Amino acid sequence: MATTTAKAAAIGPILITGGAGYIGSHTIVCLLEQGYNVVVVDNLINSSLAALDRVAELVNLDDAARKERLVFHNVDICDRNALKKVFETSPTFHACIHFAGLKAVGESTKIPLKYYHNNLTGTFFLLELMDEFGCHSIVFSSSATVYGAADKMPITEETTVGTGITNAYGRTKYMIEEILRDFYNSKTLGESGTTDWSVVILRYFNPIGAHPSGKIGEDPDGIPNNLMPYVAQVAAGRREFLTVFGDDYPTPDGTGVRDYLHVMDLAEGHIAAIEYAGKKEAGTYTFNLGTGNGCSVFDMTKAMGKACGHEIKCKVGARRPGDIATCYADATLAKTKLGWEAKLTLDEMCRDLWSWQSQNPNGYAS
Ligand SMILES: NC(=O)c1ccc[n+]([C@@H]2O[C@H](COP(=O)([O-])OP(=O)(O)OC[C@H]3O[C@@H](n4cnc5c(N)ncnc54)[C@H](O)[C@@H]3O)[C@@H](O)[C@H]2O)c1
């Protein structure tokens, strides 16, 4: 791919915090393919530089093009001085997509301060520096977790947030949303009452799958916390069976129901968000990103069994504390405002997850 695209020549690069991670790496593929240049800041606490090497391969960036289009800084966003250096040494960023954060729900219950420190402090420094260096557009990775145990499905953006969140991780997401709104509002208090800041909050439902090439995907450290990476390891024979956490929920087959979406669809959602923020007047905007379909644990194991060609062995265990019965999105707002909707099917999600898992049985260390 050419070193400079017309788009990159016209606008500054996109700053991607946490870009070596699962969703970040897939989003970078889409950004590069669509002509953006990116600057990635990641401390690799839950990721590997190999992900970005594979991204460069997928987008055909040779060393010269990579130097210009996919710049990487091994920086902790909680290290203000190091983060400031990134701003000082880069062209003015067009926008920032803020993925960096710790995300293990169970661990956040055991070590909440680690989560509050990492996720909140990093965001404070990022916002201060964006303000100082003239980058006034941020897309933030929030989560359906902010809705807690919503009692009405599907969940719209109007559904109450903040109450009933069962873990520190979810509360960091809720708090950051509130901080972003306060920050934006503070910018409208000047004489003109206006600002050029725009804040887009994306509430992801359950991203799964991988790039269709199988070259990048989710690479959990140790025992996967989320259902589908675990199922993929059972499919590959790395784990013997899946423990299903409860089959006595008030759902069609008794297992938990979630809204799974393909990570490539989610990646495209970020491009739509950046473009929306660029076109629209300043403001704060919040969107659900999901398919609008609820799938049970058994729906998922069946679909994965079809993708890998054999049954996924399951054993039913007790409910897991903090889990809710059902959670799926109303993603109409993203469709009407962003022009985005999830297109890829459950079979495609499982096909691509299996392609990644079977080609990379030990993740990026394979
Ligand atoms: N994967 C999901 O199911 C899901 C759902 C909803 C929201 N989210 C949010 O989306 C974002 C991306 O998720 P993901 O699945 O790609 O996670 P991930 O762990 O794969 O990616 C996050 C990246 O952030 C980096 N990071 C963490 N703390 C950092 C710090 N202080 N400084 C620099 N880098 C740091 C990690 O090394 C990692 O590369 C996260 O904020 C997560 O909470 C994820």
mmCIF file of all heavy atoms in Angstrom, residues 17-24 41-47 75-78 98-103 118 141-144 169 173 204-207 218 226, ligand 1:
data_model
loop_
_atom_site.group_PDB
_atom_site.id
_atom_site.type_symbol
_atom_site.label_atom_id
_atom_site.label_comp_id
_atom_site.label_asym_id
_atom_site.label_seq_id
_atom_site.Cartn_x
_atom_site.Cartn_y
_atom_site.Cartn_z
ATOM 1 N N THR A 17 -5.344 4.490 21.577
ATOM 2 C CA THR A 17 -4.816 3.930 22.826
ATOM 3 C C THR A 17 -5.294 2.478 22.903
ATOM 4 O O THR A 17 -6.425 2.165 22.518
ATOM 5 C CB THR A 17 -5.316 4.707 24.062
ATOM 6 O OG1 THR A 17 -6.695 4.394 24.271
ATOM 7 C CG2 THR A 17 -5.127 6.208 23.921
ATOM 8 N N GLY A 18 -4.415 1.598 23.353
ATOM 9 C CA GLY A 18 -4.803 0.185 23.457
ATOM 10 C C GLY A 18 -4.942 -0.479 22.097
ATOM 11 O O GLY A 18 -5.655 -1.475 21.938
ATOM 12 N N GLY A 19 -4.220 0.033 21.106
ATOM 13 C CA GLY A 19 -4.395 -0.436 19.728
ATOM 14 C C GLY A 19 -3.810 -1.805 19.427
ATOM 15 O O GLY A 19 -4.117 -2.385 18.394
ATOM 16 N N ALA A 20 -2.962 -2.330 20.345
ATOM 17 C CA ALA A 20 -2.422 -3.671 20.090
ATOM 18 C C ALA A 20 -3.387 -4.757 20.569
ATOM 19 O O ALA A 20 -3.165 -5.944 20.342
ATOM 20 C CB ALA A 20 -1.065 -3.826 20.789
ATOM 21 N N GLY A 21 -4.461 -4.337 21.237
ATOM 22 C CA GLY A 21 -5.410 -5.301 21.790
ATOM 23 C C GLY A 21 -6.362 -5.865 20.740
ATOM 24 O O GLY A 21 -6.234 -5.589 19.537
ATOM 25 N N TYR A 22 -7.319 -6.620 21.230
ATOM 26 C CA TYR A 22 -8.237 -7.359 20.358
ATOM 27 C C TYR A 22 -9.039 -6.425 19.437
ATOM 28 O O TYR A 22 -8.923 -6.496 18.204
ATOM 29 C CB TYR A 22 -9.161 -8.194 21.254
ATOM 30 C CG TYR A 22 -10.310 -8.881 20.577
ATOM 31 C CD1 TYR A 22 -10.132 -9.607 19.392
ATOM 32 C CD2 TYR A 22 -11.589 -8.832 21.131
ATOM 33 C CE1 TYR A 22 -11.199 -10.255 18.788
ATOM 34 C CE2 TYR A 22 -12.652 -9.487 20.539
ATOM 35 C CZ TYR A 22 -12.459 -10.190 19.364
ATOM 36 O OH TYR A 22 -13.514 -10.821 18.774
ATOM 37 N N ILE A 23 -9.810 -5.528 20.019
ATOM 38 C CA ILE A 23 -10.682 -4.699 19.173
ATOM 39 C C ILE A 23 -9.845 -3.635 18.445
ATOM 40 O O ILE A 23 -10.076 -3.332 17.272
ATOM 41 C CB ILE A 23 -11.799 -4.043 20.022
ATOM 42 C CG1 ILE A 23 -12.587 -5.131 20.765
ATOM 43 C CG2 ILE A 23 -12.743 -3.232 19.137
ATOM 44 C CD1 ILE A 23 -13.554 -4.606 21.812
ATOM 45 N N GLY A 24 -8.821 -3.122 19.158
ATOM 46 C CA GLY A 24 -7.966 -2.099 18.563
ATOM 47 C C GLY A 24 -7.301 -2.593 17.288
ATOM 48 O O GLY A 24 -7.303 -1.902 16.262
ATOM 49 N N VAL A 41 -0.696 3.812 20.995
ATOM 50 C CA VAL A 41 -0.064 3.869 22.304
ATOM 51 C C VAL A 41 -0.585 2.676 23.095
ATOM 52 O O VAL A 41 -1.800 2.540 23.281
ATOM 53 C CB VAL A 41 -0.445 5.178 23.032
ATOM 54 C CG1 VAL A 41 -0.019 5.123 24.483
ATOM 55 C CG2 VAL A 41 0.198 6.367 22.355
ATOM 56 N N ASP A 42 0.312 1.802 23.505
ATOM 57 C CA ASP A 42 -0.105 0.607 24.257
ATOM 58 C C ASP A 42 1.054 0.176 25.125
ATOM 59 O O ASP A 42 2.207 0.229 24.680
ATOM 60 C CB ASP A 42 -0.498 -0.515 23.260
ATOM 61 C CG ASP A 42 -1.370 -1.587 23.893
ATOM 62 O OD1 ASP A 42 -0.961 -2.140 24.930
ATOM 63 O OD2 ASP A 42 -2.439 -1.877 23.340
ATOM 64 N N ASN A 43 0.787 -0.241 26.367
ATOM 65 C CA ASN A 43 1.883 -0.738 27.210
ATOM 66 C C ASN A 43 1.977 -2.269 27.153
ATOM 67 O O ASN A 43 2.721 -2.865 27.918
ATOM 68 C CB ASN A 43 1.728 -0.263 28.658
ATOM 69 C CG ASN A 43 0.472 -0.799 29.318
ATOM 70 O OD1 ASN A 43 -0.332 -1.465 28.659
ATOM 71 N ND2 ASN A 43 0.299 -0.520 30.595
ATOM 72 N N LEU A 44 1.190 -2.883 26.280
ATOM 73 C CA LEU A 44 1.235 -4.329 26.029
ATOM 74 C C LEU A 44 0.938 -5.152 27.284
ATOM 75 O O LEU A 44 1.354 -6.300 27.386
ATOM 76 C CB LEU A 44 2.581 -4.741 25.405
ATOM 77 C CG LEU A 44 2.975 -3.971 24.127
ATOM 78 C CD1 LEU A 44 4.350 -4.434 23.609
ATOM 79 C CD2 LEU A 44 1.932 -4.161 23.009
ATOM 80 N N ILE A 45 0.184 -4.568 28.213
ATOM 81 C CA ILE A 45 -0.134 -5.295 29.453
ATOM 82 C C ILE A 45 -1.045 -6.486 29.159
ATOM 83 O O ILE A 45 -1.034 -7.482 29.859
ATOM 84 C CB ILE A 45 -0.760 -4.356 30.519
ATOM 85 C CG1 ILE A 45 -0.925 -5.045 31.879
ATOM 86 C CG2 ILE A 45 -2.089 -3.789 30.146
ATOM 87 C CD1 ILE A 45 0.105 -4.636 32.849
ATOM 88 N N ASN A 46 -1.843 -6.356 28.097
ATOM 89 C CA ASN A 46 -2.730 -7.470 27.750
ATOM 90 C C ASN A 46 -2.702 -7.737 26.249
ATOM 91 O O ASN A 46 -3.707 -8.073 25.645
ATOM 92 C CB ASN A 46 -4.172 -7.145 28.196
ATOM 93 C CG ASN A 46 -5.052 -8.367 28.188
ATOM 94 O OD1 ASN A 46 -4.602 -9.459 28.552
ATOM 95 N ND2 ASN A 46 -6.298 -8.222 27.759
ATOM 96 N N SER A 47 -1.542 -7.551 25.644
ATOM 97 C CA SER A 47 -1.469 -7.715 24.191
ATOM 98 C C SER A 47 -0.028 -7.932 23.776
ATOM 99 O O SER A 47 0.873 -7.928 24.620
ATOM 100 C CB SER A 47 -2.040 -6.477 23.492
ATOM 101 O OG SER A 47 -1.396 -5.323 23.976
ATOM 102 N N VAL A 75 3.919 2.738 25.573
ATOM 103 C CA VAL A 75 3.716 3.756 26.612
ATOM 104 C C VAL A 75 2.476 3.398 27.432
ATOM 105 O O VAL A 75 1.454 2.970 26.876
ATOM 106 C CB VAL A 75 3.553 5.155 25.942
ATOM 107 C CG1 VAL A 75 2.879 6.146 26.874
ATOM 108 C CG2 VAL A 75 4.909 5.692 25.487
ATOM 109 N N ASP A 76 2.622 3.600 28.731
ATOM 110 C CA ASP A 76 1.482 3.445 29.640
ATOM 111 C C ASP A 76 0.766 4.795 29.693
ATOM 112 O O ASP A 76 1.404 5.818 29.989
ATOM 113 C CB ASP A 76 2.044 3.064 31.026
ATOM 114 C CG ASP A 76 0.956 2.798 32.051
ATOM 115 O OD1 ASP A 76 -0.168 3.332 31.894
ATOM 116 O OD2 ASP A 76 1.244 2.071 33.006
ATOM 117 N N ILE A 77 -0.526 4.808 29.421
ATOM 118 C CA ILE A 77 -1.224 6.107 29.401
ATOM 119 C C ILE A 77 -1.317 6.728 30.794
ATOM 120 O O ILE A 77 -1.674 7.892 30.932
ATOM 121 C CB ILE A 77 -2.624 6.038 28.727
ATOM 122 C CG1 ILE A 77 -3.539 5.040 29.436
ATOM 123 C CG2 ILE A 77 -2.504 5.729 27.253
ATOM 124 C CD1 ILE A 77 -5.004 5.195 29.031
ATOM 125 N N CYS A 78 -0.997 5.944 31.826
ATOM 126 C CA CYS A 78 -0.955 6.512 33.192
ATOM 127 C C CYS A 78 0.385 7.196 33.461
ATOM 128 O O CYS A 78 0.583 7.769 34.533
ATOM 129 C CB CYS A 78 -1.195 5.423 34.234
ATOM 130 S SG CYS A 78 -2.825 4.702 34.079
ATOM 131 N N HIS A 98 -10.151 5.614 22.098
ATOM 132 C CA HIS A 98 -9.594 5.273 23.415
ATOM 133 C C HIS A 98 -10.049 3.871 23.848
ATOM 134 O O HIS A 98 -11.069 3.698 24.502
ATOM 135 C CB HIS A 98 -10.050 6.340 24.411
ATOM 136 C CG HIS A 98 -9.550 6.148 25.795
ATOM 137 N ND1 HIS A 98 -8.387 5.482 26.105
ATOM 138 C CD2 HIS A 98 -10.067 6.552 26.996
ATOM 139 C CE1 HIS A 98 -8.218 5.480 27.419
ATOM 140 N NE2 HIS A 98 -9.218 6.104 27.976
ATOM 141 N N PHE A 99 -9.221 2.887 23.444
ATOM 142 C CA PHE A 99 -9.504 1.493 23.812
ATOM 143 C C PHE A 99 -8.801 1.093 25.110
ATOM 144 O O PHE A 99 -9.203 0.125 25.740
ATOM 145 C CB PHE A 99 -8.950 0.527 22.744
ATOM 146 C CG PHE A 99 -9.616 0.568 21.411
ATOM 147 C CD1 PHE A 99 -8.971 1.101 20.301
ATOM 148 C CD2 PHE A 99 -10.884 0.038 21.233
ATOM 149 C CE1 PHE A 99 -9.564 1.106 19.050
ATOM 150 C CE2 PHE A 99 -11.492 0.035 19.988
ATOM 151 C CZ PHE A 99 -10.826 0.575 18.891
ATOM 152 N N ALA A 100 -7.686 1.767 25.447
ATOM 153 C CA ALA A 100 -6.829 1.250 26.523
ATOM 154 C C ALA A 100 -7.594 1.152 27.830
ATOM 155 O O ALA A 100 -8.250 2.096 28.260
ATOM 156 C CB ALA A 100 -5.608 2.158 26.700
ATOM 157 N N GLY A 101 -7.493 -0.008 28.434
ATOM 158 C CA GLY A 101 -8.150 -0.212 29.717
ATOM 159 C C GLY A 101 -7.993 -1.664 30.107
ATOM 160 O O GLY A 101 -7.728 -2.521 29.259
ATOM 161 N N LEU A 102 -8.126 -1.908 31.396
ATOM 162 C CA LEU A 102 -8.159 -3.294 31.872
ATOM 163 C C LEU A 102 -9.612 -3.741 31.820
ATOM 164 O O LEU A 102 -10.515 -2.957 32.094
ATOM 165 C CB LEU A 102 -7.606 -3.371 33.294
ATOM 166 C CG LEU A 102 -6.129 -2.981 33.433
ATOM 167 C CD1 LEU A 102 -5.709 -2.970 34.898
ATOM 168 C CD2 LEU A 102 -5.242 -3.929 32.632
ATOM 169 N N LYS A 103 -9.837 -5.012 31.496
ATOM 170 C CA LYS A 103 -11.223 -5.413 31.215
ATOM 171 C C LYS A 103 -11.666 -6.728 31.866
ATOM 172 O O LYS A 103 -12.749 -7.222 31.549
ATOM 173 C CB LYS A 103 -11.432 -5.506 29.704
ATOM 174 C CG LYS A 103 -10.576 -6.577 29.044
ATOM 175 C CD LYS A 103 -11.040 -6.929 27.642
ATOM 176 C CE LYS A 103 -10.270 -8.097 27.079
ATOM 177 N NZ LYS A 103 -10.673 -8.557 25.788
ATOM 178 N N ASN A 118 -5.967 2.400 36.682
ATOM 179 C CA ASN A 118 -5.572 2.277 35.274
ATOM 180 C C ASN A 118 -6.583 2.957 34.342
ATOM 181 O O ASN A 118 -6.219 3.767 33.492
ATOM 182 C CB ASN A 118 -5.437 0.797 34.905
ATOM 183 C CG ASN A 118 -4.804 0.617 33.538
ATOM 184 O OD1 ASN A 118 -3.600 0.797 33.363
ATOM 185 N ND2 ASN A 118 -5.621 0.304 32.544
ATOM 186 N N SER A 141 -14.442 3.516 24.198
ATOM 187 C CA SER A 141 -14.931 2.138 24.306
ATOM 188 C C SER A 141 -15.675 1.946 25.612
ATOM 189 O O SER A 141 -15.065 1.670 26.634
ATOM 190 C CB SER A 141 -13.753 1.165 24.386
ATOM 191 O OG SER A 141 -12.934 1.225 23.279
ATOM 192 N N SER A 142 -16.985 2.080 25.569
ATOM 193 C CA SER A 142 -17.758 1.733 26.758
ATOM 194 C C SER A 142 -18.355 0.343 26.554
ATOM 195 O O SER A 142 -17.955 -0.387 25.635
ATOM 196 C CB SER A 142 -18.827 2.797 27.037
ATOM 197 O OG SER A 142 -19.402 2.547 28.301
ATOM 198 N N SER A 143 -19.273 -0.008 27.404
ATOM 199 C CA SER A 143 -19.719 -1.399 27.405
ATOM 200 C C SER A 143 -21.187 -1.480 27.814
ATOM 201 O O SER A 143 -21.674 -0.644 28.593
ATOM 202 C CB SER A 143 -18.853 -2.165 28.414
ATOM 203 O OG SER A 143 -19.453 -3.373 28.752
ATOM 204 N N ALA A 144 -21.837 -2.525 27.346
ATOM 205 C CA ALA A 144 -23.219 -2.786 27.770
ATOM 206 C C ALA A 144 -23.300 -3.009 29.276
ATOM 207 O O ALA A 144 -24.386 -2.897 29.853
ATOM 208 C CB ALA A 144 -23.752 -4.018 27.034
ATOM 209 N N TYR A 169 -15.002 -3.062 37.133
ATOM 210 C CA TYR A 169 -14.725 -2.803 35.713
ATOM 211 C C TYR A 169 -15.872 -1.984 35.096
ATOM 212 O O TYR A 169 -15.662 -0.942 34.470
ATOM 213 C CB TYR A 169 -14.553 -4.129 34.949
ATOM 214 C CG TYR A 169 -14.703 -3.968 33.456
ATOM 215 C CD1 TYR A 169 -13.718 -3.330 32.717
ATOM 216 C CD2 TYR A 169 -15.855 -4.422 32.791
ATOM 217 C CE1 TYR A 169 -13.866 -3.150 31.348
ATOM 218 C CE2 TYR A 169 -16.006 -4.253 31.429
ATOM 219 C CZ TYR A 169 -15.013 -3.619 30.709
ATOM 220 O OH TYR A 169 -15.169 -3.431 29.364
ATOM 221 N N LYS A 173 -16.249 2.085 33.501
ATOM 222 C CA LYS A 173 -16.818 2.502 32.202
ATOM 223 C C LYS A 173 -17.885 3.573 32.426
ATOM 224 O O LYS A 173 -17.929 4.590 31.727
ATOM 225 C CB LYS A 173 -17.428 1.302 31.467
ATOM 226 C CG LYS A 173 -16.408 0.279 31.008
ATOM 227 C CD LYS A 173 -15.534 0.847 29.915
ATOM 228 C CE LYS A 173 -14.398 -0.064 29.546
ATOM 229 N NZ LYS A 173 -13.388 0.583 28.725
ATOM 230 N N TYR A 204 -20.335 -1.222 23.576
ATOM 231 C CA TYR A 204 -20.263 -2.499 22.855
ATOM 232 C C TYR A 204 -21.085 -3.546 23.597
ATOM 233 O O TYR A 204 -21.044 -3.612 24.820
ATOM 234 C CB TYR A 204 -18.842 -3.061 22.802
ATOM 235 C CG TYR A 204 -17.728 -2.136 22.408
ATOM 236 C CD1 TYR A 204 -16.436 -2.421 22.845
ATOM 237 C CD2 TYR A 204 -17.915 -1.028 21.596
ATOM 238 C CE1 TYR A 204 -15.362 -1.618 22.501
ATOM 239 C CE2 TYR A 204 -16.847 -0.218 21.251
ATOM 240 C CZ TYR A 204 -15.581 -0.509 21.702
ATOM 241 O OH TYR A 204 -14.515 0.274 21.375
ATOM 242 N N PHE A 205 -21.697 -4.433 22.821
ATOM 243 C CA PHE A 205 -22.309 -5.602 23.432
ATOM 244 C C PHE A 205 -21.221 -6.696 23.471
ATOM 245 O O PHE A 205 -20.197 -6.467 24.102
ATOM 246 C CB PHE A 205 -23.661 -5.913 22.766
ATOM 247 C CG PHE A 205 -24.715 -4.985 23.360
ATOM 248 C CD1 PHE A 205 -24.632 -3.597 23.166
ATOM 249 C CD2 PHE A 205 -25.703 -5.439 24.209
ATOM 250 C CE1 PHE A 205 -25.517 -2.714 23.802
ATOM 251 C CE2 PHE A 205 -26.599 -4.568 24.840
ATOM 252 C CZ PHE A 205 -26.496 -3.210 24.632
ATOM 253 N N ASN A 206 -21.340 -7.813 22.787
ATOM 254 C CA ASN A 206 -20.332 -8.867 22.992
ATOM 255 C C ASN A 206 -19.558 -9.172 21.712
ATOM 256 O O ASN A 206 -19.974 -10.040 20.928
ATOM 257 C CB ASN A 206 -21.004 -10.140 23.519
ATOM 258 C CG ASN A 206 -21.621 -9.911 24.887
ATOM 259 O OD1 ASN A 206 -22.667 -9.261 25.010
ATOM 260 N ND2 ASN A 206 -20.968 -10.377 25.910
ATOM 261 N N PRO A 207 -18.434 -8.480 21.505
ATOM 262 C CA PRO A 207 -17.662 -8.732 20.285
ATOM 263 C C PRO A 207 -16.987 -10.101 20.317
ATOM 264 O O PRO A 207 -16.415 -10.484 21.337
ATOM 265 C CB PRO A 207 -16.608 -7.613 20.296
ATOM 266 C CG PRO A 207 -16.528 -7.133 21.697
ATOM 267 C CD PRO A 207 -17.851 -7.413 22.342
ATOM 268 N N GLU A 218 -8.571 -12.643 19.088
ATOM 269 C CA GLU A 218 -8.483 -12.406 20.533
ATOM 270 C C GLU A 218 -7.514 -13.425 21.127
ATOM 271 O O GLU A 218 -7.620 -14.611 20.850
ATOM 272 C CB GLU A 218 -9.877 -12.556 21.165
ATOM 273 C CG GLU A 218 -9.897 -12.150 22.619
ATOM 274 C CD GLU A 218 -11.318 -12.000 23.182
ATOM 275 O OE1 GLU A 218 -12.286 -12.406 22.497
ATOM 276 O OE2 GLU A 218 -11.426 -11.483 24.307
ATOM 277 N N ASN A 226 -14.093 -14.756 28.865
ATOM 278 C CA ASN A 226 -15.311 -14.643 28.058
ATOM 279 C C ASN A 226 -15.668 -15.979 27.420
ATOM 280 O O ASN A 226 -14.800 -16.836 27.194
ATOM 281 C CB ASN A 226 -15.132 -13.576 26.976
ATOM 282 C CG ASN A 226 -15.051 -12.179 27.577
ATOM 283 O OD1 ASN A 226 -15.486 -11.963 28.716
ATOM 284 N ND2 ASN A 226 -14.478 -11.247 26.835
HETATM 285 N N1 LIG B 1 -13.824 -7.284 24.399
HETATM 286 C C1 LIG B 1 -15.008 -7.012 24.932
HETATM 287 O O1 LIG B 1 -15.849 -7.896 25.093
HETATM 288 C C2 LIG B 1 -15.370 -5.590 25.323
HETATM 289 C C3 LIG B 1 -16.709 -5.262 25.567
HETATM 290 C C4 LIG B 1 -17.024 -3.962 25.936
HETATM 291 C C5 LIG B 1 -16.023 -3.005 26.069
HETATM 292 N N2 LIG B 1 -14.743 -3.359 25.846
HETATM 293 C C6 LIG B 1 -13.692 -2.339 26.017
HETATM 294 O O2 LIG B 1 -13.051 -2.125 24.773
HETATM 295 C C7 LIG B 1 -11.675 -1.803 24.960
HETATM 296 C C8 LIG B 1 -10.831 -2.748 24.130
HETATM 297 O O3 LIG B 1 -11.136 -4.079 24.538
HETATM 298 P P1 LIG B 1 -10.316 -5.326 24.008
HETATM 299 O O4 LIG B 1 -11.216 -6.492 24.080
HETATM 300 O O5 LIG B 1 -9.632 -4.990 22.741
HETATM 301 O O6 LIG B 1 -9.262 -5.448 25.189
HETATM 302 P P2 LIG B 1 -7.703 -5.755 25.125
HETATM 303 O O7 LIG B 1 -7.260 -6.030 26.513
HETATM 304 O O8 LIG B 1 -7.417 -6.768 24.087
HETATM 305 O O9 LIG B 1 -7.146 -4.349 24.632
HETATM 306 C C9 LIG B 1 -6.903 -3.289 25.514
HETATM 307 C C10 LIG B 1 -5.506 -2.803 25.260
HETATM 308 O O10 LIG B 1 -5.213 -1.733 26.166
HETATM 309 C C11 LIG B 1 -3.874 -1.885 26.616
HETATM 310 N N3 LIG B 1 -3.777 -1.170 27.888
HETATM 311 C C12 LIG B 1 -4.413 -1.417 29.053
HETATM 312 N N4 LIG B 1 -4.060 -0.518 29.981
HETATM 313 C C13 LIG B 1 -3.182 0.332 29.381
HETATM 314 C C14 LIG B 1 -2.448 1.470 29.811
HETATM 315 N N5 LIG B 1 -2.530 1.911 31.060
HETATM 316 N N6 LIG B 1 -1.653 2.098 28.925
HETATM 317 C C15 LIG B 1 -1.537 1.663 27.650
HETATM 318 N N7 LIG B 1 -2.197 0.579 27.191
HETATM 319 C C16 LIG B 1 -3.006 -0.068 28.051
HETATM 320 C C17 LIG B 1 -3.671 -3.385 26.705
HETATM 321 O O11 LIG B 1 -2.311 -3.758 26.646
HETATM 322 C C18 LIG B 1 -4.438 -3.868 25.480
HETATM 323 O O12 LIG B 1 -3.609 -3.929 24.340
HETATM 324 C C19 LIG B 1 -11.419 -1.915 26.459
HETATM 325 O O13 LIG B 1 -11.497 -0.626 27.024
HETATM 326 C C20 LIG B 1 -12.576 -2.765 26.948
HETATM 327 O O14 LIG B 1 -12.902 -2.491 28.285
HETATM 328 C C21 LIG B 1 -14.371 -4.620 25.455
#
